Amino acid sequence: MLLAKECLYLIKEEQEEIKRELDLSLAVRLLSEFGVNLLPIQIRNCEDRMKLIECVLEKKKNAYKNVPTLYKLACKLWICDGNSAKRYSIINIRLAEEAFQGELDLKSKLSFIQRLMKMYLEGTELIQSDVRLKNENLECGIDVIKKHQKKNNCEFLFESAGFLFNMLYSEKPAHDEALCSNLNQVLLEAAKSCIFDDPALGLSILLSMENLELCEKFFKSLSHNPLSYQIAMYFYGLAGYIQENKDFVNVSPNNVCEFTLQHSRSPYGDMLLKYSLQNDNFHQAQTASQLNCGINSKRFIADIDYRRDTIYGLAILSAIFDNISGCDFTKIIMYFTMMNAIDSDATNLCGLTPKQHIKLIKKVKATSPAINYIDLINHRHDLLSILQPALTNDNFNNVVRLVKNLPESVRGDFNPNILYRKKAVEEFFYTMREVASLKQCLKLVKGLFNKWLVKVDVSDIHWFIEQTVLSRDSALTLDYEYRKQILLALMTRACGRMDYSEIEAAVGDEAKLVAVMKTILLDDSLSKEDVLIAYKASGVTISLNTLISSLPESDNTNVDTILARKSQFSKHDFTVEVDSHNSESQKTELAEQSSNNVESYKKLWPNVFMDDSFDNNQRTLFERLLSETNNIEQIAALHAMLQNQPSLQDCSALHTLQVKLLHKLATVKGNDKFNMIAKLMDEASLNEKGLFKTESQNLNMEVAVDCIESVIKAELGGAIRIELCSALSEGGLTPSLGFLNLCRKHSTLPVFPMIRCRGGDFVYSAEEMEIMSEDIRIMKENGADGFVFGVLSDDKTLDREKCKLLLEVAQPKPCTLHRAFDETVDCAQALETAVELGFSRILTSGQKKDAAAGIDTINNLINKARERIIVMPGAGITVSNLEEILLQTNAQEFHGSGKVAVNCHGQPRNVTSSDNIKKMVAIYENVLGKRNV
C-alpha cells in the first residue's frame, strides 16, 4: 500500500483520479485515528461517504468535538464532491445535532456553536478568497450579494446557520432574559465580523435573531456606504419575504425587495423603504459634492431640511444658467456672484473659480458685447466662430488682445495669428477687385503685408498664399503676371532678407529695373536664391547672365563678387541665351536617362510598382504617379520627368500636365514649395486666367456622386467637377467630413459638397441653418472648393437672408444654387435674386421632372442670364438625351451622374460609370464643334 502511494506521488501531472486516490489514502489514516479501520477498497466502494462520518461518531463518544479533523476527513472523503459550502453546512448540522444529544448544558452548547461558526469563518474558501467584498463597495450591494450567493451556493449557509440558531432558541428557557441578551450580543458580534466578507452568512445570523430593534441598531452601527445600505435593504426584504412563508432561494434580491415593499404589512417594509431612501440620498450627496460648490455630504444625508434646500438651490442655479443668454453679461455676473457666495474656491467650467469668471466676463464685455460668453467657456463652437461677430475693423486689435489674455483652458491651442491671416485673406479679395495696374497691385500687397502679415509666422504666410494667390478664385479674377509678382513679393517679404521696395517703385521702367538688379547683384550679402527671387520679381527682359556680364569691374572691390555671381549662374536655368528646347540628340539622351530612372521611381512610389506591371506610356505613368504623390521629393521627380521625356513635350499635353502638377504642389507641404511653384508657373507660360485656364476652357460636365467608387470613375471618365453628396436617393444630402477628405485624397478634381441637412422641403428652421453653416465652415477648412445649397421661404421664393448667411460663411468659395430653384413660384425672378446674392451657377431641370422635359424653360433662363450666372441643366440627363438638351439650350455646362445599376452583395446599387461619363463628354465636344461651325 505504501509503495502504491509513493508511486502516485511520482506522477507530476495533476489529474482528478490521482488526487482522489491520494485523498483516499489520507482518509484511511484519519479514520484509523478515530478507531475506524477500513481498507481503501471498502472506502472506494462506499457510495454514501457520510456513513463513514456516522461510523466515527458512533465509535467515539466525543468525536464531534474534534471539529478540524472531521472537516478534514469530510474533505478527503469528497463528501458533496467539490461543493465545499454544502459540505460545511452538512457537517456543521450533524456535529450540532450530536452536541445537543449529549449532556452539555446550554452554556456549553452555545460555546460549541460559537466555535463551529468561528471555525467556519476562518476555514472556508469564501473567507480565504483573494477578492473581498469590502473592497468591492463601489458595486451595487444587492448585485454583489446576488453574485456571491450564486457563486458559492449560499443557500446552504442560510440552511446551516438557521438550523444551528433554531436549535439554540429551542433549548433556551423563555424566562432567561440574561442568557437571551448574552446570546443576541454574540450573534450581533458574529454578524458584524462577517457581514461584508460573507453577506450571506451575516444575513443568516441576523435572520435567526427575530429582534427588529437590535437589527436596526446593527445597521446603524455600520459605515455609511452603498454596500451597507443595500445589505440592509436586502435583509429587510428577506425578513418580510420569509414572514409571508415564501421560498427566497431562487428569487433575485430585487424581486425579494419589490415583493416586501408591495405586500408586507410588517415593519420590514417600512425599514426597507427607509434604507432605500438613505441609499438614494447617499448617491445624491455624492453627485452634489462633485459640483464643488461647498455642499456638506454628511449633513446632506442626515438633515432632510438641508437636503431639500440644497436641491432646490442647485435646481434654481442650474435653471438660471441654462436660460441666460450668453451675451447678457449682467445676469452671468450675478450667477457667478451667487456661486462665489456658496463656495469661492470651487472650480468648474474651464477650471476657473467664480471670481476668475467674473473678471473674465468684464474683459469680454469691454472687448465686444457681441461675444457669447457661455459659448466661449463651454466650447460649443470653435473660438474663431465665437469671436467672428466682434471682428470688425475698428475692434480687431481689441479682440486680438483679448485672445492673448484668455486663460489656457478657454483658449486651448488657438493661435492669434489665425485672426491676422484671416483678415488678410478677406482684405486681399476685397482690394484686388479694383486693381488696374501691376504697380498698384504690388503697392496693395505691400500695404496688406505691413498691416496684417508682418506679425505672423512664415507658415501663416504660406497658408495665406495658398488661400489667395494659388486659389481658383484668384485665378478667375487676376492675370497670371499679377499673381506671379504677388507670389514673389510675398515670398521675398516672408524671407525678410532684402528690401523689395526699390523693385516695386521701378516696375514698368526697364532702365530703372536693370539698375536695381545690378545693385542687387553686387550686394555680396545676398544669396543666390535672393538674387533669383529679385530677378524673377523685376520682370526685366534681358537675361541674368547678360546682366552679370555688364557689371562694372573698374572697382577692385567688385571683382570677387562678380566672379562669384558668374560662377553661381553659369548654368542658370532662367537665362534666355540658353535654348529652352533640347536638340534631338539631347532629347534622345534624356529619354534613355528617363528609362534608367525607373528604379528611382520605384523607390519613391513603391505601391505603384509593386507588381512590376506598369504602363510604359509616359503620360499615363505620369498621371498614375501624380495620383499617389504627397511630398516635395515626388513632385521634383515628376517635374524632371516633364522636362526630360520627349513624349511629353507636345505643347498642349505638357501644358495640361504642368497645370495638374501645380494643383498637386499647392496641396503638399515643404520648405521649397513656393520656389518650385514660381518655376512651374514660368515654365507653363500661363496667360490670361493663368493657373486654371485649361480647366475653365473645358468646363463642361459636373458629376453628382455619393460613394468613393463613383468619384474615381467620374475623374477617369473626364468630369471636371464633383458634386459630393450622401443619399442621392433623397436628392442628395450633406456628405461626411471623412468622405470629403477621402475624395480629396483620391481625386484632383474640384469638389463641391452638397449642404442639405435633411430630406424633404427646402424651408429650414434657425437650428437647421446653424447646422448647415457649421457644415460649410468645417468643410471649407478641410479643402472644399465650393458648395451647393438653396433655401426657400414659406411663399416658395428664395429666402434672401438665409441664402445670404450661407454665402457669407462660404466666402470666397463659389456656390451653386441647387434644385430648390425648381420649386420657386417665379423662376425668372429667382434667377435675378440668385445673381444679386452672388451665386456662381444655378442647377435646374427647368422646373420639370427632368431636364429633357424642361428644355424650353432652361433655354429661356440661359438667355436671361446673359453670362451673369451659369445656368446648368441637370436631372435625368443621359447619353441618349444629352445631345438634344445641349443643342436646344446652348448650355455651357451640364450636370449628371452617369450611373449604372450594379449588384453589390446581392443588393442593387447605383454607381457612376466611367464609360458613360466618357460618352457624355464626347457628345459635349461634338456639340461644341457643331456650334463653332
Side-chain angles (χ1 to χ4, degrees), residues 740-752:
L740 172 63
N741 290 337
L742 199 63
C743 182
R744 300 291 298 175
K745 179 180 179 181
H746 289 283
S747 172
T748 59
L749 297 180
V751 180
F752 281 42

Side-chain angles (χ1 to χ4, degrees), residues 800-848:
R800 285 176 174 269
E801 292 305 317
K802 290 182 178 178
C803 285
K804 183 179 179 181
L805 173 64
L806 297 182
L807 285 163
E808 287 176 352
V809 177
Q811 190 180 13
K813 304 295 183 182
C815 297
T816 300
L817 173 59
H818 61 39
R819 291 188 61 207
F821 176 87
D822 288 329
E823 295 192 11
T824 58
V825 291
D826 186 342
C827 61
Q829 181 57 49
L831 183 143
E832 296 302 323
T833 304
V835 172
E836 293 172 17
L837 287 171
F839 280 101
S840 300
R841 58 180 54 81
I842 297 172
L843 172 62
T844 179
S845 61
Q847 299 199 312
K848 301 294 183 181

Side-chain angles (χ1 to χ4, degrees), residues 442-587:
L442 293 177
K443 184 177 179 181
L444 288 171
V445 170
K446 178 182 177 181
L448 194 150
F449 187 96
N450 292 336
K451 184 177 180 181
W452 303 115
L453 300 180
V454 74
K455 301 176 182 178
V456 302
D457 300 329
V458 173
S459 60
D460 293 302
I461 298 177
H462 289 180
W463 180 88
F464 171 80
I465 290 172
E466 290 178 3
Q467 299 297 314
T468 55
V469 185
L470 300 180
S471 70
R472 288 179 170 81
D473 301 288
S474 178
L476 296 173
T477 56
L478 288 174
D479 287 339
Y480 159 70
E481 190 61 33
Y482 283 23
R483 287 184 285 113
K484 173 185 170 183
Q485 295 300 329
I486 293 171
L487 173 65
L488 294 172
L490 288 169
M491 286 165 53
T492 304
R493 291 188 179 279
C495 295
R497 287 190 289 261
M498 56 189 287
D499 185 6
Y500 199 72
S501 58
E502 292 185 13
I503 295 177
E504 293 175 354
V507 170
D509 189 330
E510 180 77 7
K512 287 184 179 180
L513 286 171
V514 169
V516 170
M517 278 307 307
K518 287 181 178 181
T519 303
I520 290 172
L521 285 166
L522 292 173
D523 187 346
D524 57 5
S525 66
L526 299 176
S527 68
K528 176 183 176 180
E529 288 74 20
D530 293 331
V531 173
L532 277 175
I533 291 173
Y535 173 72
K536 290 166 64 62
S538 68
V540 294
T541 57
I542 61 177
S543 71
L544 190 54
N545 283 344
T546 302
L547 279 172
I548 295 172
S549 300
S550 67
L551 293 175
E553 299 183 11
S554 56
D555 188 346
N556 291 334
T557 58
N558 294 338
V559 174
D560 292 340
T561 304
I562 293 171
L563 290 175
R565 295 301 186 201
K566 286 181 178 180
S567 174
Q568 287 173 339
F569 298 103
S570 59
K571 297 180 180 180
H572 177 50
D573 292 340
F574 291 98
T575 54
V576 293
E577 289 100 348
V578 180
D579 188 359
S580 61
H581 298 282
N582 298 307
S583 65
E584 291 302 320
S585 61
Q586 287 173 322
K587 289 181 180 178

